[in-house]
Amino acid sequence: VEKLQIQLFGVPQLLWQGQPVTIPRSQHRALLYRLAATLTPVAREQLCFLFWPDTDDNTARRQLTQAVSHLRRALPDPDLLQVTKEYVSLDAAKVAVDSAAFTLLCSGREKALQQCKSAVELYKGPFLDGISLPGCPEFEHWQFGERRRFEQDYLDSLLLLLNGAPGANSNAALIEYARRYLIVDELAEEIHRRLIELYVLAGDRSAALRQFESCRLILARELGVAPLPETRAAYEA
């Protein structure tokens, strides 16, 4: 089955048979992103609230019907959209969505390291990066909440990889995981400390010194504090 590839991490992208798909109106794109994010049917009522919160019920439902109709025409296969009286959804068998695959990999209490690696590879940047709908505060509120949730799952996966069994990851891979973690959360001093230790293990003394200096500057600028004694000890070692 030919699938519509939907990337929601980083700047969103739609691909069909290897070619980009263009949906002209930002609100119609946002509607698609909302449907793709969970790949489960979304109640019309909820969509009306997200996109037309200050509009009366009948008008909002009419607007939604029009938006769904426009979106269906813009998609390469109209059957990608499934519509009932109460719900709107994407056909899960005909789309592949990075955030849906990511959620699956991050679910469950006991995550295997390979699951974490796959999840980390899928995460290309913040959820719906660069997307905003100024006239739809409820959509933006939903988007912000999802972004925070995905970001936390990403950081948790990186942490599990960093704390994995000795030898499970190469030193170079661990350095990459620590650097990716700090791109999202630069105030995580324990990750700065771990990165200093990893650079020392790699024999890269100058990178370790630079990392300590970077940590010191960030903590001073953002929190007005100095690095903890254990971070200084890692640096002095």
Side-chain angles (χ1 to χ4, degrees):
V1 179
E2 182 62 51
K3 291 193 176 189
L4 177 67
Q5 306 288 327
I6 305 176
Q7 179 188 308
L8 300 182
F9 289 133
V11 177
Q13 283 185 356
L14 307 175
L15 291 176
W16 178 262
Q17 298 178 344
Q19 297 301 311
V21 175
T22 305
I23 293 167
R25 289 195 57 187
S26 58
Q27 194 177 55
H28 300 158
R29 289 196 297 274
L31 173 59
L32 177 69
Y33 301 152
R34 172 61 192 91
L35 297 173
T38 50
L39 275 191
T40 52
V42 184
R44 284 174 176 265
E45 198 178 304
Q46 192 187 347
L47 293 171
C48 288
F49 176 67
L50 277 185
F51 294 103
W52 302 279
D54 301 323
T55 309
D56 70 84
D57 196 42
N58 286 341
T59 309
R61 279 187 166 260
R62 198 162 57 248
Q63 300 264 43
L64 176 60
T65 301
Q66 287 173 356
V68 166
S69 177
H70 282 296
L71 180 56
R72 176 171 262 148
R73 284 201 296 274
L75 289 170
D77 175 356
D79 292 337
L80 285 162
L81 264 187
Q82 298 183 322
V83 184
T84 69
K85 203 172 164 189
E86 293 302 322
Y87 294 94
V88 183
S89 63
L90 287 171
D91 185 344
K94 293 184 176 179
V95 294
V97 188
D98 56 354
S99 63
F102 179 89
T103 297
L104 209 56
L105 288 164
C106 291
S107 60
R109 303 254 285 277
E110 296 294 320
K111 289 202 286 288
L113 288 186
Q114 191 50 54
Q115 275 176 268
C116 293
K117 279 182 188 174
S118 301
V120 162
E121 288 315 306
L122 277 175
Y123 192 89
K124 298 286 190 280
F127 178 70
L128 298 183
D129 198 17
I131 299 301
S132 71
L133 273 188
C136 299
E138 294 304 333
F139 175 83
E140 294 202 324
H141 181 70
W142 166 80
Q143 179 187 344
F144 178 74
E146 290 295 279
R147 182 175 293 180
R148 290 289 297 272
R149 180 172 70 82
F150 286 127
E151 192 176 87
Q152 192 55 58
D153 282 343
Y154 172 61
L155 292 178
D156 289 346
S157 296
L158 286 170
L159 204 53
L160 281 169
L161 288 167
L162 281 166
N163 295 332
N169 295 292
S170 68
N171 201 57
L174 291 171
I175 285 171
E176 178 62 17
Y177 296 144
R179 285 166 65 170
R180 287 181 74 164
Y181 193 106
L182 290 172
I183 287 170
V184 177
D185 182 8
E186 65 175 8
L187 293 174
E189 188 178 347
E190 71 281 8
I191 305 296
H192 282 283
R193 187 160 61 246
R194 186 73 195 281
L195 192 46
I196 291 165
E197 291 163 353
L198 289 167
Y199 281 138
V200 170
L201 274 176
D204 194 342
R205 187 169 171 274
S206 61
L209 298 178
R210 279 198 307 276
Q211 194 60 44
F212 176 80
E213 194 53 29
S214 166
C215 174
R216 190 184 68 75
L217 289 170
I218 287 164
L219 292 176
R221 184 186 71 224
E222 299 297 328
L223 302 176
V225 298
L228 290 167
E230 46 265 54
T231 306
R232 188 165 284 282
Y235 159 71
E236 284 167 355

